Amino acid sequence: MTRTVIAMAALTLQEAARRRVLRSLALLTVVLLALSAWGFSRIEAEFGDLTSGESKVVASVILNLVMFGLSLIAALGTAFLAGPTLAGEAESGIALAMLARPVHRFAVLLGKWLGLAVFGSGFVAVAGLAQLLIVHATVGYWPPDPVTGLLFLAAQAVTLLTLGLLLSTAVSPMASGITAVGLFGATWIAGVVGMVGHSLGNESVARVGTVSRVLLPTDGLWHGAMYALQDATIPAQLGPRFDAPPFLSQTGLTTLYVGWAALWVAVVLGLAAVVFQRRDL
C-alpha cells in the first residue's frame, strides 16, 4: 500500500506539472512578486518621514496583503487541480482501468492527496520565501516568525485541496473547483464580518467569523499566518485602534484550534475515502 501511495503521489505531481494551470500559477506569481517589489520600493520614497514603528506597521500590512494574494493563487491552483484528479479520471474512464488492478481505492486517494499537498506546500514555500526576501531587500523588514507563517499558509492550501478532493468524489471537476473556491471566499468574507462585529462590540455579528472558522478552517489559518508575519509590537502601537486593519491579526492561533484544523483535514479526507470507495465507476 505504501508503494501505491508514493507512486500515486509522484504521478499526481507529474500531472500537476504537465497541466497548463502550473504555467498560469507561475505567471500570476511572478506578476504579483514584481508588483510587490515595485510597491515596497516606493514606500521609502513616498513615506520617507515615517518613524521606525510606523514603517513596521506599513510593511506588515502590505506584506500580509501580498501574502493574501499568494494564498489566493495557491487556493485557486490546488482547488482546480484537486477536482480533475478524481472526478476527471472517473468521467474519462481512466480510474476504472486503473482500479481494475489489485489497487486499493484508499491508497489511490491518499497518494493523490499527498501529491497535491506537496505541490501546494512547495508553491507556498517558494513563493512566500521569495516575497519575504523582496520585502527584506526593499524596506529592511523581516517578520518575527516566518516559518510559522509559511506553515499556516501551506496548511490553508492543504485544507482547501482536501475539501476539493472530497467534492470531486461526488460532483464534476468544474463544480468541485468552483464550490471549493467559493467556500474559501465566503469564509474569508465571514471572517471580515466577524472582525467588524468585534470592533463594533456586536457579539452576534462577531460570532459569524468564529463559526465560519470552525466550519472551514482556511480563514482561521490565514489569521494565524498574518499574526506570525506582522511585527510583534503592532498591538501595543495601535492600542484601541487595533480592531480596524483588515490585514492584521489580533492574536495568534491556540494549540486547540490548530488541533481542530488537523482533525478537520483528517475527517474530510476520511469522508472522501468513504465516498470514493462506494462510488460506482
Side-chain angles (χ1 to χ4, degrees):
M1 182 174 175
T2 303
R3 287 185 177 181
T4 303
V5 172
I6 295 175
M8 291 308 304
L11 289 174
T12 302
L13 282 172
Q14 291 177 8
E15 181 65 15
R18 188 184 65 81
R19 291 179 183 273
R20 292 183 179 180
V21 67
L22 182 60
R23 299 176 211 170
S24 302
L25 288 179
L27 180 61
L28 286 173
T29 304
V30 170
V31 170
L32 181 62
L33 292 177
L35 287 175
S36 71
W38 178 82
F40 275 104
S41 68
R42 297 300 302 167
I43 290 179
E44 188 67 25
E46 298 291 340
F47 305 100
D49 55 344
L50 292 177
T51 64
S52 59
E54 291 172 337
S55 297
K56 289 180 178 177
V57 173
V58 172
S60 295
V61 171
I62 299 178
L63 173 61
N64 282 343
L65 176 62
V66 177
M67 282 300 187
F68 179 76
L70 289 177
S71 73
L72 183 60
I73 292 174
L76 288 171
T78 53
F80 281 98
L81 282 173
T85 194
L86 282 180
E89 291 183 358
E91 289 181 356
S92 64
I94 295 177
L96 181 61
M98 180 174 57
L99 294 173
R101 302 172 183 177
V103 176
H104 199 284
R105 290 191 182 188
F106 178 69
V108 173
L109 178 75
L110 187 59
K112 288 182 176 294
W113 177 85
L114 182 61
L116 290 171
V118 170
F119 175 82
S121 301
F123 169 80
V124 169
V126 173
L129 181 60
Q131 179 58 54
L132 296 182
L133 292 175
I134 287 173
V135 175
H136 183 65
T138 51
V139 297
Y141 175 75
W142 188 254
D145 197 353
V147 174
T148 301
L150 294 180
L151 283 175
F152 281 147
L153 286 177
Q156 183 190 41
V158 171
T159 300
L160 193 65
L161 77 85
T162 307
L163 175 64
L165 210 57
L166 169 63
L167 293 171
S168 72
T169 60
V171 298
S172 66
M174 182 69 73
S176 63
I178 292 174
T179 304
V181 174
L183 290 174
F184 171 83
T187 306
W188 182 79
I189 293 173
V192 174
V193 171
M195 290 177 65
V196 173
H198 182 74
S199 64
L200 296 176
N202 189 318
E203 291 299 324
S204 298
V205 177
R207 199 172 294 120
V208 173
T210 304
V211 172
S212 67
R213 289 169 194 164
V214 172
L215 294 177
L216 180 59
T218 51
D219 187 61
L221 293 169
W222 161 240
H223 276 259
M226 284 198 298
Y227 188 79
L229 297 176
Q230 70 192 26
D231 185 71
T233 63
I234 285 180
Q237 293 184 55
L238 295 182
R241 298 174 295 163
F242 192 63
D243 286 336
F247 286 101
L248 293 174
S249 183
Q250 296 168 312
T251 58
L253 297 184
T254 63
T255 304
L256 179 63
Y257 186 82
V258 175
W260 163 248
L263 178 63
W264 189 96
V265 170
V267 169
V268 173
L269 184 61
L271 186 58
V274 171
V275 176
F276 187 53
Q277 184 68 30
R278 297 180 177 180
R279 179 169 179 171
D280 185 11
L281 299 176

